[in-house]
């Protein structure tokens, strides 16, 4: 009788400079002086690999986020950094955020193909459409492209990138020294794409990679974002505050897959969680309060203004949120706007309280407790239909990641919820996802012409 492997958690380490809490850089356990120190990030990646985590993940934006006066912001471009991390790790996946709004498909496909080769098949692409007008203004635009149009462009962008990755067949390289034939040019094809946003001839100038494509990840939870994820994504990074919200999102997203001919196991839902860990619950809550006490209200107010598309400058911190615009009028991150607005109204939070609640996770769930309590929370969401795994967001680094790897991972392993060794080599194998077939092996009209 065939046996099926038990379902296991998937865990990513979401790395962010001094840590995810906006005051982490002020805490004595953090090392903000090292945010442009390669060795620092190499050590973090090695810690994640020691914990057998699926991947490390780097967010990115194309503008200087927030107020650098009050936080350790800025740093490395993700693909450059992950190439350096690949050299000192063997198994852990390497996921970079790259925008489809301010890049071109050929550049992006080439860079990810390079990372996948360099790492031996560990590359992942977090596909974003960018969310701020400041990013647009760094690329010659006064305003940001409208939300729906950003997703239209993203669909064509990903379609072109996958065609480029398929422009070399797996066995195109012959290395026939005797005949002087390096590659079978019947298996290296132009893609001849002509669409609304892009015209790309191809082929890519990088051979097909160990994974075929990098793992495709998406992080938007708006209606446009969820539909995009159902069509293309293999993992979704998301933010929910409650188990019920997590279950609703999980069910909604998985229910959309069938219309694209996909099954539920082809898309993994990975909510973010910022675990504040200590040996006792009281100590964990004390650490959480220490970080809150280090917050700069001016910074938190600016961040909150950005999330809500509303200038909150000068409003009383101990007062409520003002009247907000309708979600349909938000051209930035719609899903985060909705989450933050609902959190404030549901719990009756003042601006000061909302800034404190968002400090460690920017809308992602924050939980302070013992390693056992953290493991209980992960297990509950995993077994109750709210998650296939988690994006672990240490509030402070490097200690927050070390605490998770050294104290929470062993509990999950003892419960049979997490791997005790890497059994695959590629990021797709860590996730239990198939290597994609080459779509251009049987070329359609106008595509796949040999070169």
């Amino acid at each position: 009788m065939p046996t099926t492997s038990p379902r296991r958690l998937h865990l990513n380490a979401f790395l962010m400079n001094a840590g995810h809490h906006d005051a982490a850089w002020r805490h004595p356990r953090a090392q903000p002086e090292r945010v442009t120190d390669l060795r620092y990030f190499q050590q973090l990646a090695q810690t994640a690999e020691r914990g057998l985590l699926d991947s490390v993940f780097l967010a990115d934006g194309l503008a200087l986020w927030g107020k650098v006066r009050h936080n350790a912001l800025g740093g490395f471009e993700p693909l450059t950094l992950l190439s350096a991390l690949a050299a000192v790790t063997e198994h852990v996946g390497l996921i970079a955020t790259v925008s489809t709004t301010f890049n071109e498909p050929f550049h992006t496909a080439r860079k990810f193909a390079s990372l996948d080769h360099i790492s031996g098949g560990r590359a992942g692409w977090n596909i974003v459409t960018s969310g701020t007008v400041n990013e647009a203004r760094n690329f010659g635009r006064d305003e940001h492209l409208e939300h729906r149009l950003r997703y239209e462009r993203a669909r064509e962008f990903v379609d072109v990138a996958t065609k480029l990755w398929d422009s070399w067949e797996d066995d195109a390289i012959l290395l026939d020294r005797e005949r002087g034939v390096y590659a079978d040019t019947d298996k290296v094809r132009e893609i001849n794409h002509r669409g609304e946003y892009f015209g790309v001839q191809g082929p890519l100038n990088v051979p097909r990679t160990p994974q075929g494509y990098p793992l495709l990840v998406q992080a938007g939870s708006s209606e446009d974002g969820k539909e995009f994820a159902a069509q293309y994504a293999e993992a979704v990074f998301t933010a929910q505050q409650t188990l019920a919200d997590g279950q609703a999102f999980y069910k909604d997203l998985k229910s959309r897959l069938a219309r694209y001919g996909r099954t539920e196991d082809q898309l993994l839902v990975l909510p973010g969680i910022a675990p504040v860990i200590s040996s006792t619950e009281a100590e964990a809550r004390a650490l959480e309060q220490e970080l809150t006490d280090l917050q700069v209200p001016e910074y938190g107010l600016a961040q909150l203004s950005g999330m809500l598309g509303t200038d909150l400058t000068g409003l009383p911190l101990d007062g409520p949120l003002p009247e907000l615009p309708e979600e349909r009028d938000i051209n930035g991150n719609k899903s985060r706007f909705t989450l933050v607005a609902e959190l404030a109204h549901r719990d009756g939070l003042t601006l000061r309280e909302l800034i404190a609640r968002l400090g460690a996770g920017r809308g992602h769930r924050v939980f302070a407790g013992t390693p056992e309590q953290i493991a209980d929370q992960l297990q509950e969401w995993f077994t109750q239909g709210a998650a296939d795994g988690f994006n672990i967001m240490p509030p402070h680094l490097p200690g927050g990641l070390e605490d998770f790897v050294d104290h929470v991972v062993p509990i999950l392993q003892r419960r049979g919820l997490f791997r005790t060794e890497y059994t695959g080599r590629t990021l797709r194998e860590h996730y239990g996802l198939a290597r994609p077939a080459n779509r251009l092996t049987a070329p359609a009209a106008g595509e796949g012409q040999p070169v």
Side-chain angles (χ1 to χ4, degrees):
M1 293 286 292
T3 58
T4 57
S5 300
R7 183 168 170 259
R8 297 279 174 84
L9 277 165
H10 297 285
L11 299 173
N12 300 314
F14 183 174
L15 306 181
M16 183 169 281
N17 286 1
H20 281 269
H21 199 287
D22 60 34
W25 70 277
R26 301 181 68 191
H27 196 276
R29 291 190 66 184
Q31 299 176 8
E33 68 280 4
R34 300 185 69 193
V35 299
T36 52
D37 176 355
L38 173 60
R39 187 66 189 141
Y40 170 68
F41 284 96
Q42 289 177 328
Q43 289 166 351
L44 291 173
Q46 289 168 335
T47 297
E49 185 161 271
R50 177 165 59 80
L52 306 176
L53 271 57
D54 294 67
S55 73
V56 296
F57 162 58
L58 300 175
D60 192 42
L62 297 168
L64 184 60
W65 283 344
K67 286 184 174 289
V68 73
R69 177 178 176 85
H70 299 303
N71 200 355
L73 303 171
F76 292 125
E77 186 280 319
L79 282 165
T80 307
L81 176 56
L82 290 177
S83 294
L85 301 188
V88 297
T89 55
E90 294 182 7
H91 296 283
V92 72
L94 306 164
I95 301 177
T97 298
V98 173
S99 170
T100 58
T101 304
F102 302 114
N103 284 287
E104 290 289 321
F106 193 94
H107 281 137
T108 300
R110 186 187 189 200
K111 291 172 183 177
F112 275 108
S114 298
L115 178 61
D116 208 47
H117 280 294
I118 288 167
S119 64
R122 295 185 280 142
W125 174 19
N126 179 41
I127 304 162
V128 299
T129 66
S130 298
T132 70
V133 70
N134 286 339
E135 291 171 286
R137 290 171 182 168
N138 285 336
F139 291 86
R141 301 179 185 177
D142 292 329
E143 296 296 334
H144 203 2
L145 194 65
E146 193 268 323
H147 189 273
R148 178 184 57 81
L149 297 179
R150 295 203 303 271
Y151 274 100
E152 286 183 5
R153 177 186 166 98
R155 286 185 176 88
E156 187 178 339
F157 193 113
V158 174
D159 182 54
V160 175
T162 54
K163 288 176 182 176
L164 287 166
W165 291 318
D166 284 340
S167 62
W168 292 64
E169 292 188 34
D170 289 318
D171 57 353
I173 296 177
L174 299 178
L175 281 177
D176 189 334
R177 291 180 171 87
E178 185 174 330
R179 291 193 299 139
V181 178
Y182 176 74
D184 180 349
T185 50
D186 287 337
K187 297 183 177 183
V188 182
R189 298 184 172 91
E190 295 177 355
I191 67 168
N192 293 317
H193 176 89
R194 294 293 180 270
E196 183 176 354
Y197 294 96
F198 306 108
V200 182
Q201 176 179 290
L204 194 62
N205 55 354
V206 183
R208 203 160 193 260
T209 73
Q211 292 190 114
Y213 307 165
L215 182 83
L216 300 180
V217 183
Q218 191 265 353
S221 299
S222 65
E223 284 302 307
D224 287 330
K226 287 186 286 191
E227 206 60 29
F228 181 88
Q231 186 172 1
Y232 295 107
E234 296 163 299
V236 169
F237 296 155
T238 184
Q240 279 83 41
Q241 289 284 326
T242 68
L243 176 63
D245 287 345
Q247 289 168 326
F249 178 86
Y250 187 95
K251 183 178 180 181
D252 179 13
L253 189 55
K254 298 272 186 171
S255 72
R256 298 171 187 243
L257 293 167
R259 76 187 68 167
Y260 299 104
R262 305 180 66 196
T263 57
E264 291 192 7
D265 59 356
Q266 291 177 311
L267 175 62
L268 302 173
V269 177
L270 308 172
I273 184 169
V276 185
I277 307 168
S278 199
S279 56
T280 69
E281 183 178 349
E283 289 174 355
R285 293 191 180 280
L287 174 57
E288 184 178 32
Q289 188 61 49
E290 283 178 32
L291 291 165
T292 297
D293 291 343
L294 292 171
Q295 283 188 296
V296 178
E298 181 185 345
Y299 179 86
L301 204 60
Q303 293 292 95
L304 190 55
S305 295
M307 291 182 194
L308 295 175
T310 302
D311 186 3
L312 305 174
T313 307
L315 291 179
L317 290 173
D318 294 312
L321 275 179
E323 185 174 342
L324 298 175
E326 297 290 332
E327 181 189 311
R328 63 176 179 269
D329 297 324
I330 295 294
N331 195 33
N333 188 328
K334 288 180 180 288
S335 55
R336 195 56 50 87
F337 167 87
T338 301
L339 185 150
V340 172
E342 289 180 351
L343 172 64
H345 292 139
R346 184 186 69 223
D347 294 353
L349 302 178
T350 65
L351 288 176
R352 189 188 306 277
E353 291 166 338
L354 188 55
I355 289 168
R357 288 280 287 274
L358 297 173
R362 301 175 309 283
H364 292 275
R365 188 159 175 256
V366 181
F367 187 85
T370 66
E372 287 278 353
Q373 289 173 319
I374 302 295
D376 289 345
Q377 290 294 309
L378 302 186
Q379 182 171 357
E380 181 181 33
W381 281 51
F382 180 62
T383 58
Q384 298 301 313
D388 296 305
F390 295 88
N391 222 12
I392 304 303
M393 303 167 57
H396 58 92
L397 288 171
L401 180 59
E402 293 166 348
D403 291 343
F404 186 85
V405 163
D406 292 335
H407 302 295
V408 180
V409 166
I411 297 169
L412 298 172
Q413 290 170 328
R414 288 196 297 270
R415 296 180 184 182
L417 295 170
F418 192 61
R419 66 173 65 89
T420 55
E421 62 179 348
Y422 287 112
T423 56
R425 181 72 179 80
T426 70
L427 179 52
R428 289 182 171 280
E429 288 172 328
H430 299 343
Y431 273 129
L433 296 170
R435 188 174 186 270
N438 190 316
R439 294 189 302 163
L440 298 187
T441 301
E447 294 180 355
Q449 302 305 314
V451 298

